[in-house]
């Protein structure tokens, strides 16, 4: 499918879920927050962040495989991917500076060091770049070797194993780093990147520290590499169905482990730090991945214009912009004062505005690309 549209559709879905979560959370009055709409909104709001981070891992595998197909060395791939991760991290820092500036005299200076999704996306991408460099089979870089395809496959297999192992280690270490083995000796801005403590006495579940959030990126990286294996390419539909079935199994195991009498940790918190909850969310992500793939391949997702795919193509832009019009001083509705109906109308306005912004961005990018193509053609030497 062109542009692997199921990835864009999944990102677009994450955008819509993010919009509704932020809009209802920012605008609903205290009385309206007691409604079922708000309860379901908050429940669905647990999906966008794992979706974005998981898809970052899948996309990272896609970029890595394309670079390998072009003959790039492991060092070149690491340089490209780590630099991109650093750019995303830098954008995360810039976003925090922007929010502090727009909320000056209201926002505390400590918000400059708040660990947000973009920060962890950038750091996760840099860590994935290091992992791919460490697990690469160097035989693939030798032009004289006759086993380059074997070496690339070996790099892919090593990447899958290392990614799953890393995700497991991060998930298993999270309860300890949040409770009994907190690194309190570190300054709080650094400790916050590990457990989201920020300026509070205890880690905060609404922040996005490396533990456990980066584990979703490594899980996505493993899935992304798996989708490039020979068997996955030959039996694509069946493989996606198998991934969906694996997701169902993961959810079942999460429930079984949660009710087990065996306890690995002195302090157990299923909904925030437990590896069992991480397993449940990974299962849900795999189920969504299969459903979205099926919808894009056999459903109506690609018949005509798809607003969801369009949003997915510019997810970073719409994430960045919508925040100020929902939570910031430019909020289009009064915060904590609206009924469900008023907030729902505001949500529709935000959706349409972000869709228009996304289209403008895509059209500008396409025009810019077309303008560059004739220039490149004119610069090329004429052929007889």
């Amino acid at each position: 499918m062109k542009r692997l549209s199921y990835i864009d559709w999944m990102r677009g879905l994450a955008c819509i879920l993010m919009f509704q979560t932020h809009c209802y959370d920012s605008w609903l009055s205290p009385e309206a927050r007691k409604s079922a709409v708000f309860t379901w909104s908050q429940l669905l709001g647990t999906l966008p962040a794992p979706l974005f981070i998981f898809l970052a891992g899948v996309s990272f595998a896609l970029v890595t495989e394309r670079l390998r197909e072009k003959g790039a060395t492991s060092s070149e791939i690491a340089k490209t991917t780590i630099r991109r991760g650093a750019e995303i991290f830098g954008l995360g820092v810039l976003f925090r500076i922007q929010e502090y500036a727009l909320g000056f005299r209201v926002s505390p200076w400590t918000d400059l060091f708040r660990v947000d999704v973009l920060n962890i996306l950038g750091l996760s991408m840099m860590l994935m770049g290091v992992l791919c460099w460490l697990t690469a089979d160097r035989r693939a870089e030798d032009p004289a070797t006759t086993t380059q395809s074997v070496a690339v496959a070996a790099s892919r297999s090593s990447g899958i194993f290392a990614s799953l192992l890393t995700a497991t280690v991060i998930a298993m270490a999270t309860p300890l780093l949040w409770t009994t083995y907190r690194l309190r000796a570190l300054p709080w801005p650094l400790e916050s990147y590990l457990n989201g403590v920020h300026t509070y006495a205890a880690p905060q579940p609404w922040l996005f520290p490396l533990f456990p959030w980066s584990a979703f990126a490594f899980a996505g990286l493993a899935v992304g590499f798996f989708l490039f294996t020979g068997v996955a390419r030959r039996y694509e539909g069946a493989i996606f169905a198998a991934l969906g079935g694996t997701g169902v199994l993961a959810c079942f195991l999460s429930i079984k482990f949660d009710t087990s009498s065996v306890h690995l940790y002195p302090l157990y918190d299923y909904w925030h730090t437990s590896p069992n909850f991480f397993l449940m969310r990974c299962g849900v992500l795999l189920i969504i991945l299969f459903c979205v793939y099926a919808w894009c391949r056999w459903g109506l997702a690609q018949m005509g214009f798809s607003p969801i795919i369009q949003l997915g193509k510019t997810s970073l832009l719409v994430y960045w912009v919508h925040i100020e019009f929902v939570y910031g001083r430019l909020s289009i509705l009064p915060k904590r004062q609206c009924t469900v109906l008023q907030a729902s109308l505001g949500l529709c306005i935000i959706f349409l505005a972000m869709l228009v912004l996304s289209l403008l961005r895509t059209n500008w990018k396409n025009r810019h690309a077309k303008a560059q193509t004739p220039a490149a053609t004119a610069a090329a030497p004429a052929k007889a």
Side-chain angles (χ1 to χ4, degrees), residues 96-371:
R96 294 259 51 90
I97 295 173
Q98 171 194 287
E99 291 302 290
Y100 175 72
L102 292 174
F104 187 65
R105 299 185 185 278
V106 177
S107 301
W109 67 267
T110 52
D111 276 4
L112 291 169
F113 299 95
R114 199 168 79 188
V115 182
D116 217 330
V117 173
L118 289 180
N119 305 70
I120 290 312
L121 270 176
L123 287 178
S124 298
M125 290 174 68
M126 288 188 277
L127 291 173
M128 288 189 291
V130 173
L131 181 141
C132 291
W133 179 76
L134 291 173
T135 58
D137 192 319
R138 300 303 189 270
R139 292 177 299 170
E141 301 173 12
D142 184 3
T145 184
T146 58
T147 58
Q148 281 190 333
S149 60
V150 175
V152 170
S155 297
R156 189 181 300 123
S157 299
S158 298
I160 293 172
F161 174 78
S163 299
L164 290 174
L165 178 61
T166 303
T168 302
V169 170
I170 292 171
M172 296 293 289
T174 296
L176 299 176
L177 289 174
W178 278 52
T179 55
T180 54
Y181 288 93
R182 277 183 52 193
L183 302 178
R184 291 181 173 86
L186 294 174
W188 68 262
L190 294 181
E191 184 189 352
S192 194
Y193 273 93
L194 298 178
N195 56 27
V197 68
H198 199 54
T199 58
Y200 304 94
Q204 302 298 302
W206 50 274
L207 294 176
F208 299 92
L210 285 167
F211 295 83
W213 291 98
S214 62
F216 291 107
F218 286 102
L221 183 65
V223 171
F225 278 141
F226 176 66
L227 294 177
F228 275 91
T229 59
V231 64
R233 287 181 168 183
R234 285 195 300 271
Y235 308 104
E236 189 177 77
I239 290 298
F240 271 91
L243 287 174
T246 302
V248 174
L249 177 62
C251 293
F252 173 77
L253 290 176
S254 173
I255 297 172
K256 293 294 292 183
F257 292 154
D258 182 52
T259 56
S260 171
S261 58
V262 179
H263 301 285
L264 299 178
Y265 305 99
L267 297 173
Y268 181 75
D269 183 354
Y270 178 83
W271 295 106
H272 297 124
T273 63
S274 169
N276 298 328
F277 186 44
F278 172 74
L279 183 62
M280 170 67 77
R281 290 203 279 191
C282 283
V284 172
L285 291 174
L286 290 177
I287 294 171
I288 293 174
L289 177 64
F290 166 65
C291 293
V292 170
Y293 171 84
W295 179 241
C296 288
R297 180 169 180 177
W298 299 299
L300 304 177
Q302 297 189 84
M303 293 185 66
F305 172 70
S306 172
I308 300 179
I309 290 177
Q310 178 60 45
L311 286 173
K313 292 178 180 179
T314 58
S315 55
L316 176 58
L317 175 64
V318 297
Y319 165 79
W320 189 297
V321 174
H322 93 281
I323 289 289
E324 187 58 31
F325 292 98
V326 175
Y327 282 117
R329 289 185 174 181
L330 300 179
S331 175
I332 64 172
L333 289 177
K335 287 175 275 188
R336 299 297 179 98
Q337 299 179 40
C338 298
T339 65
V340 170
L341 178 58
Q342 290 170 331
S344 298
L345 292 174
L347 171 60
C348 292
I349 294 172
I350 288 293
F351 170 78
L352 292 174
M354 293 304 102
L355 181 59
V356 170
L357 177 64
S358 177
L359 287 167
L360 290 174
R361 166 59 179 164
T362 301
N363 290 337
W364 178 86
K365 188 175 181 180
N366 290 339
R367 287 199 303 270
H368 182 71
K370 289 179 180 178

